[in-house]
Amino acid sequence: MDHWLGLAALPVLTDEQARAYETARADSRSHALARMTMTVAGFYLIYALIDVLILEDVVWLSLTLRFGLMLPMALALGWYQSGRKRSIRAKEIATIGVAMTGNLVWCMVLAASDNPAALHYYYAAAIFQMVVTIALRPGFDLALWASLGTAAINYGMIGLINGVDGTYLFYHLAVYVPTLVLTLVASHQLEVERQRAFLQLHENEALKRELSRQNDALMRLSTTDPLTQLPNRRGTEAEIARLRRILKPHELDASALLIVDIDHFKAFNDAYGHGAGDECLKQVAQAMRQELPATVHLARLGGEEFIAVLPGAEPARTGMLAERLRRAVSSLGIAHDHTGDRNAHVTVSVGAACGSIATDLALSQLFEAADGALYAVKADGRNGWRLAPSVSEPPQSDAA
């Protein structure tokens, strides 16, 4: 961090960071500014008692300007500050403008008095410098311009105060200039600390978002089969867990599970090579995914096996989807001259079962039933589907 005369430099914010900085502090800053305005206005009006005690010759002028001019301005400022659509910078500028107007009014009251006490009272001009920097706490650039404006008012009017000479002006500057410099230093440091705190928070939030994004990406990688881009076994476990969280018990109890196996896939790999085998797997996965509704979970179990989970599925719909999967793969027409049976292209066998996925035990039983139906299809010549029988229903099947 660069330093100048012992002061830390203001952080350099990008346009995006500057907008985010203003947005982040808008609400809290607006409330703090409104509260401080009420406090400063209260002190300003109470100081009418000082005018009564010290400046007897201009009491009515003081009361008229303080309560007839400045009080309505303070109330109007409060209304302006309450506008939610106004930027915090606009509110700060308006507040500083009212404070500087109050400074000018105070100078006018003292300039109108012939009381020698006005000379001593005028040292209080330094209070207005503290108001526009420390009390109102605007951004440093506004604090700097407000300080220059306040100094211009105070020293533009000082020559009108009765009894001012060179010696008095020297003593007054000896009090005012250090006040101006030190309050600006404090304003600068406050702004540096505010922006540093924001940048740290901004960087932490950005880091959290990046970590979250990377975690999501890692989670997707860990639950996705890299070849087919379908969920893998772990992805299926995660989906089952999700379904158990969001579905009602009767929906979980009326589910279906399909196991799909590519027929004679080892012979395909041996004859055409693993590259052709990988391409075959991708085409089969894509064809089945396009054939199934988005609500059906389709995943690769491993090797040439796939699994589909259908919550809330009756047997008739399950058999229909099994046939659609068989037809979708058969329609690809991927040549396979080494099947050893009547089929000369890549086909699949599908074993299906309807039952509950509510517990791990029920899911295991459903899987075994679907796996048994799959072996039955294989034994019956492949390129078909079979729905495992329930207790009260005979088996259903279709073989091409």
Side-chain angles (χ1 to χ4, degrees):
M1 183 66 68
D2 294 331
H3 289 72
W4 183 73
L5 295 180
L7 300 179
L10 284 169
V12 179
L13 304 182
T14 64
D15 291 342
E16 179 184 357
Q17 289 173 333
R19 288 191 296 269
Y21 174 66
E22 291 301 316
T23 301
R25 74 188 191 107
D27 288 341
S28 60
R29 177 69 181 126
S30 184
H31 292 313
L33 189 63
R35 290 194 297 268
M36 184 51 64
T37 298
M38 292 177 59
T39 301
V40 171
F43 274 110
Y44 187 83
L45 296 176
I46 290 173
Y47 258 73
L49 295 175
I50 304 299
D51 295 350
V52 171
L53 295 175
I54 297 179
L55 309 176
E56 302 92 342
D57 56 335
V58 290
V59 167
W60 287 110
L61 176 63
S62 170
L63 295 177
T64 299
L65 291 178
R66 286 182 187 267
F67 290 91
L69 175 62
M70 294 311 303
L71 178 58
M73 286 188 68
L75 294 175
L77 176 62
W79 169 82
Y80 184 83
Q81 290 174 339
S82 66
R84 296 186 62 85
K85 293 185 178 180
R86 299 183 181 95
S87 69
I88 189 61
R89 187 174 179 85
K91 294 178 183 180
E92 289 177 337
I93 291 173
T95 305
I96 289 172
V98 172
M100 292 174 66
T101 302
N103 188 179
L104 179 61
V105 164
W106 177 77
C107 290
M108 291 169 59
V109 171
L110 268 66
S113 176
D114 293 327
N115 193 321
L119 284 175
H120 303 293
Y121 193 9
Y122 204 72
Y123 280 103
I127 294 176
F128 290 96
Q129 170 60 31
M130 290 187 283
V131 166
V132 298
T133 51
I134 304 303
L136 298 182
R137 292 183 299 155
F140 179 70
D141 59 335
L142 287 181
L144 178 60
W145 286 108
S147 297
L148 295 176
T150 300
I153 291 172
N154 288 321
Y155 287 97
M157 296 292 294
I158 196 169
L160 303 178
I161 306 299
N162 187 34
V164 170
D165 56 19
T167 301
Y168 176 83
L169 181 60
F170 174 79
Y171 287 140
H172 195 278
L173 285 169
V175 173
Y176 193 93
V177 170
T179 303
L180 183 148
V181 172
L182 293 176
T183 54
L184 280 177
V185 168
S187 175
H188 180 274
Q189 292 302 99
L190 284 172
E191 182 70 2
V192 168
E193 293 303 320
R194 284 197 297 261
Q195 291 191 11
R196 280 183 179 176
F198 164 77
L199 284 176
Q200 186 63 51
L201 180 62
H202 188 74
E203 290 172 0
N204 288 343
E205 290 299 322
L207 181 59
K208 287 180 182 179
R209 289 193 297 271
E210 177 61 20
L211 287 175
S212 177
R213 186 191 66 79
Q214 292 184 5
N215 285 336
D216 290 343
L218 288 173
M219 180 60 69
R220 285 194 299 272
L221 288 173
S222 68
T223 58
T224 302
D225 173 52
L227 179 63
T228 63
Q229 296 303 305
L230 293 177
N232 57 18
R233 187 183 294 270
R234 184 175 179 181
T236 298
E237 293 172 354
E239 175 63 10
I240 295 294
R242 187 187 73 86
L243 292 175
R244 288 171 178 172
R245 289 195 304 270
I246 66 173
L247 295 183
K248 297 177 181 178
H250 72 273
E251 293 175 306
L252 293 172
D253 290 339
S255 299
L257 187 148
L258 285 74
I259 301 177
V260 183
D261 185 88
I262 300 177
D263 297 325
H264 303 292
F265 186 72
K266 183 178 184 304
F268 186 94
N269 255 344
D270 292 342
Y272 301 105
H274 290 287
D278 288 348
E279 184 61 29
C280 175
L281 285 169
K282 288 191 286 186
Q283 290 186 45
V284 168
Q286 183 178 13
M288 292 194 298
R289 181 65 275 176
Q290 290 176 348
E291 193 65 30
L292 292 175
T295 53
V296 176
H297 173 79
L298 178 66
R300 184 183 179 193
L301 274 179
E304 66 272 25
E305 281 195 333
F306 299 83
I307 185 172
V309 180
L310 298 74
E314 69 281 358
R317 180 168 179 255
T318 303
M320 179 190 68
L321 289 177
E323 173 60 14
R324 286 172 59 179
L325 291 179
R326 188 198 68 78
R327 287 180 178 273
V329 175
S330 183
S331 297
L332 290 173
I334 302 174
H336 189 353
D337 296 327
H338 304 276
T339 61
D341 56 28
R342 64 185 181 276
N343 299 307
H345 58 275
V346 171
T347 60
V348 294
S349 297
V350 184
C354 293
S356 176
I357 60 171
T359 65
D360 289 345
L361 177 60
L363 178 63
S364 176
Q365 292 172 344
L366 191 62
F367 187 92
E368 288 179 5
D371 199 40
L374 174 63
Y375 275 101
V377 176
K378 294 283 189 181
D380 199 30
R382 296 180 172 83
N383 189 23
W385 62 270
R386 177 166 295 193
L387 180 64
S390 65
V391 174
S392 58
E393 293 181 344
Q396 303 177 42
S397 67
D398 177 74

